[in-house]
Amino acid sequence: MSNKIQSLSGYIHEYQKSVNEPEKFWARIAESFHWQKPWDNVLSWDKEGPHVKWFENAKLNITENIFERHLFTHGDKAAIIWEPNDPSEANRIISYRELFELTCQFSNAMQAQGVQKGDRVIIYMPMIPEAAVAMLACARIGAVHSVVFAGFSSSALADRIIDCEAKMVLTSDGNFRGAKNIPVKAVVDEALEKTSTVERVIVCKRTDAEVTMTPDRDFWWHDVIKEESAIHAAESLDAEDLLFILYTSGSTGKPKGVVHSTAGYLVYTQYSFENVFQYNQNDVYWCTADIGWITGHSYIIYGPLLSGATTLMFEGVPTYPHPGRFWEIVDKYRVNQFYTSPTAIRALQAKGLEPIAPFKLDSLKVIGSVGEPINEEAWHWYHDHIGKGNCPLVDTWWQTETGGIMISPLAGITPNKPAHASLPLPGIQPIIVDAEGNELKGNNVEGNLCIKFPWPSMLRTTYGDHKRFKETYFSAYPGMYFTGDGAKRDHDGYIRILGRVDDVINVSGHRMGTAEVENAINEHPRVVEAAVVGFPHDIKGQGIYAYVICDEEGITQEVLIDEIKNTVRKIIGPIAKPDEIQVVSGLPKTRSGKIMRRILRKVASKDISNLGDTSTLLNPEIIDEIIRGAQVS
Ligand code: WTA
């Protein structure tokens, strides 16, 4: 039974029902899934904890809802279309039946290697079908996966392994990305020197790169599955058993492990996928994200596969071997729904119209955007030149923590308004509050975005640290989830997301905590102090700007800056490398010793027209030096 909304009045009707009687609403949506045992209670919500449980005491397995539930109707349908990095290499089209067998076989292999229900498994893999198999096999046996983006450094990987006490790492020999061949296994080896919990590493062959295999610890994927059967009985999981942990940057300290549980995540990712993209059973859907991010989890793997969709998985990058690569793939597979990031759109827009010209793009019905605010210029370019003016554009706002899309047009149903995420999905109750937490009702208001009622796929905790969970999300406005984003409700009641209001920078749709980058910079022995802020960047949305105080004796600034960039690359990964580093002799500080970031942000943005009140500064003279050094004209 489909829960697909068909019209704007249908949406309004569903939305009202979801707010008036949330439990009844979600119970009806959840009925279409396969439950080994039904729930006793749809929602329990302890505001103090805070603790949220959905579909309490139900038993299920998410992979039974992907496979067993669909095999009779579409066992032969393509589940995954895999397009390799290099277009001259053969693609792979994997049916639901085949994917089921691969998942079962790998589930057996993981169990034979000692993984049990509840164990944590790190997945550090390229965009190949085995990465999907790895996630699904974890879910099938009840192991908790934590996918780490394969561009993160060995020390970022080690931090995550340590935090979740992972027992197993799944990886590959190498990773093809554009013209690059990245030695992934070597990164794992380096990370494991710093950790002590990992008992097994399973390595999938992809690039034929030479790797070192540590005896009794490292095994080849093809060897461990050789003797295993393709039949496997799914573990029975509790609705609230952990499905996965995904690490994400916050405004303070180290990345936190966002925890998602089984039943609520299943219900919400499927429901939101089907409704936002208006997926029809013969469509080919493509999301260009990497599985290392939440978008890859919810809208390459779980949402589409739970809907019995055909999901395209692309190993490469948009500009390799030519800047028309995305469009070539759209035409090749007659993609119907295409979902990407504003950064990718802006980067491709910068290449002009020529790379698009050879392609028809006439199969596209829906185009989507996620990860950062999409500026109006990029919105129009995407709408006109890719959607050819006749595809609804879904600007989907959500977060790692929300598990699924929260505010977005439903394709072809909600009227499109450029750069507006527009209206909440049924079941989602966003509100805009002022600094004191008063709800700003009505239209034409701007403030901080909160969600006032639980939804099924909300994060349950931050792994191993419930206090941090409470402090981060529920302390600014007690009883409500605070998103960290600013938002505006316009005169039509449509929501526009304004970006982060905390110390998180959104670089190419990837979240970076300023404190995390500062910590990495401080690892350089010459650095005395660092302050990191975001600034507007034409392609990436935001860039990283670092002010550093250093010991410059006997070293040129150029070399020093290069070294600092390399330190960050080593500690976090290339995505965190500052775009600009300015060496300064001091940082503007208040009398209580706090860095006045507001000023640093303005200077980095080359906007010094109104620096605001600087009277509380301990060292106001530093501002002139900083402005001069930043070469603001
Ligand atoms: C931002 C990605 C504007 C926002 C799914 C949020 C957006 C953060 C949009 C979460 C959008 C995401 N419009 N901003 N459509 N989508 N964001 O956890 O600041 O990687 O808080 O999840 O990205 O990033 P995350």
Side-chain angles (χ1 to χ4, degrees), residues 42-235:
V42 179
L43 167 67
S44 84
W45 180 20
D46 152 23
K47 277 194 183 182
E48 274 312 300
H51 295 288
V52 170
K53 290 182 185 160
W54 282 92
F55 310 110
E56 213 171 352
N57 298 331
K59 297 276 181 202
L60 74 159
N61 188 292
I62 200 164
T63 68
E64 283 187 340
N65 282 280
I66 291 174
F67 297 120
E68 280 92 334
R69 192 163 64 102
H70 290 144
L71 286 180
F72 288 120
T73 47
H74 42 250
D76 295 327
K77 178 178 175 175
I80 295 179
I81 296 177
W82 177 74
E83 173 68 16
N85 179 58
D86 179 349
S88 64
E89 194 188 337
N91 64 356
R92 287 167 70 182
I93 297 182
I94 302 170
S95 69
Y96 269 86
R97 197 181 313 282
E98 285 161 340
L99 186 62
F100 181 39
E101 287 173 3
L102 291 169
T103 300
C104 285
Q105 197 179 33
F106 198 63
S107 300
N108 284 321
M110 279 174 61
Q111 283 178 324
Q113 296 294 324
V115 180
Q116 292 172 356
K117 185 170 161 181
D119 286 344
R120 275 79 57 211
V121 174
I122 294 274
I123 300 177
Y124 187 75
M125 291 178 78
M127 288 286 289
I128 54 177
E130 283 73 15
V133 170
M135 291 166 76
L136 296 169
C138 286
R140 189 146 182 105
I141 66 176
V144 179
H145 60 69
S146 184
V147 183
V148 177
F149 174 58
F152 275 121
S153 69
S154 65
S155 66
L157 175 60
D159 286 346
R160 288 153 174 79
I161 293 173
I162 292 168
D163 189 76
C164 72
E165 299 174 298
K167 192 169 182 182
M168 180 179 264
V169 176
L170 306 175
T171 188
S172 66
D173 48 357
N175 180 0
F176 291 129
R177 270 184 81 71
K180 290 190 210 139
N181 182 344
I182 304 156
V184 183
K185 171 66 166 61
V187 180
V188 172
D189 291 339
E190 216 178 292
L192 292 187
E193 282 170 23
K194 302 180 196 131
T195 69
S196 58
T197 55
V198 174
E199 292 169 13
R200 289 277 187 282
V201 178
I202 313 261
V203 188
C204 186
K205 215 180 229 331
R206 171 65 190 121
T207 60
D208 268 332
E210 238 182 79
V211 297
T212 318
M213 298 290 276
T214 303
D216 299 330
R217 188 195 73 185
D218 301 353
F219 297 86
W220 288 105
W221 183 293
H222 55 261
D223 285 337
V224 299
I225 60 171
K226 224 174 358 203
E227 306 291 324
E228 298 299 340
S229 135
I231 297 170
H232 180 274
E235 280 291 326

Side-chain angles (χ1 to χ4, degrees), residues 260-405:
H260 282 289
S261 61
T262 304
Y265 180 83
L266 163 146
V267 170
Y268 195 77
T269 52
Q270 193 283 326
Y271 179 75
S272 54
F273 171 76
E274 184 178 30
N275 278 294
V276 170
F277 297 101
Q278 290 287 304
Y279 184 84
N280 289 322
Q281 275 311 319
N282 294 321
D283 291 343
V284 174
Y285 160 89
W286 180 20
C287 165
T288 69
D290 190 283
I291 48 147
W293 314 114
I294 190 70
T295 308
H297 284 60
S298 302
Y299 299 109
I300 295 178
I301 308 292
Y302 288 111
L305 294 179
L306 284 162
S307 304
T310 297
T311 178
L312 198 151
M313 190 175 185
F314 175 44
E315 183 184 34
V317 297
T319 48
Y320 179 83
H322 58 80
R325 184 77 166 116
F326 268 6
W327 321 129
E328 180 181 69
I329 297 173
V330 168
D331 273 12
K332 179 173 175 185
Y333 298 106
R334 311 253 342 125
V335 169
N336 303 111
Q337 289 91 3
F338 176 73
Y339 190 31
T340 194
S341 67
T343 290
I345 296 162
R346 288 188 294 260
L348 294 170
Q349 182 183 2
K351 307 270 179 208
L353 295 178
E354 222 172 286
I356 310 173
F359 306 106
K360 286 210 192 86
L361 305 180
D362 59 343
S363 55
L364 288 176
K365 295 195 287 194
V366 176
I367 54 177
S369 165
V370 59
E372 42 181 320
I374 179 166
N375 49 307
E376 289 193 31
E377 198 194 340
W379 194 100
H380 284 292
W381 186 86
Y382 191 27
H383 184 258
D384 296 351
H385 298 291
I386 305 305
K388 308 292 181 199
N390 57 25
C391 293
L393 196 170
V394 290
D395 175 3
T396 64
W397 174 83
W398 58 297
Q399 308 179 297
T400 305
E401 293 87 343
T402 68
I405 297 169

Side-chain angles (χ1 to χ4, degrees), residues 513-631:
T514 53
E516 201 188 339
V517 183
E518 285 163 8
N519 290 344
I521 293 176
N522 282 322
E523 291 290 311
H524 190 284
R526 296 265 185 164
V527 173
V528 179
E529 194 174 5
V532 165
V533 296
F535 71 98
H537 187 288
D538 284 349
I539 304 283
K540 301 180 184 179
Q542 278 192 298
I544 301 179
Y545 197 110
Y547 298 88
V548 289
I549 305 173
C550 351
D551 162 16
E552 293 181 73
E553 209 183 299
I555 187 167
T556 65
Q557 263 195 19
E558 219 182 345
V559 173
L560 191 57
I561 287 173
D562 259 8
E563 281 187 20
I564 295 174
K565 286 187 181 175
N566 268 328
T567 306
V568 179
R569 174 201 289 268
K570 247 191 118 215
I571 292 180
I572 308 177
I575 50 173
K577 205 176 73 176
D579 299 273
E580 301 282 345
I581 294 184
Q582 183 181 345
V583 179
V584 294
S585 70
L587 293 165
K589 287 196 177 166
T590 62
R591 282 172 217 284
S592 58
K594 267 200 165 161
I595 297 172
M596 212 183 246
R597 286 170 190 278
R598 175 171 57 76
I599 293 177
L600 296 179
R601 263 187 231 119
K602 286 217 147 204
V603 176
S605 311
K606 307 229 182 293
D607 164 24
I608 51 165
S609 51
N610 177 14
L611 290 181
D613 180 14
T614 54
S615 62
T616 56
L617 280 184
L618 200 61
N619 52 348
E621 70 288 348
I622 201 71
I623 296 180
D624 277 345
E625 180 207 305
I626 289 180
I627 293 176
R628 251 180 286 120
Q631 293 174 339

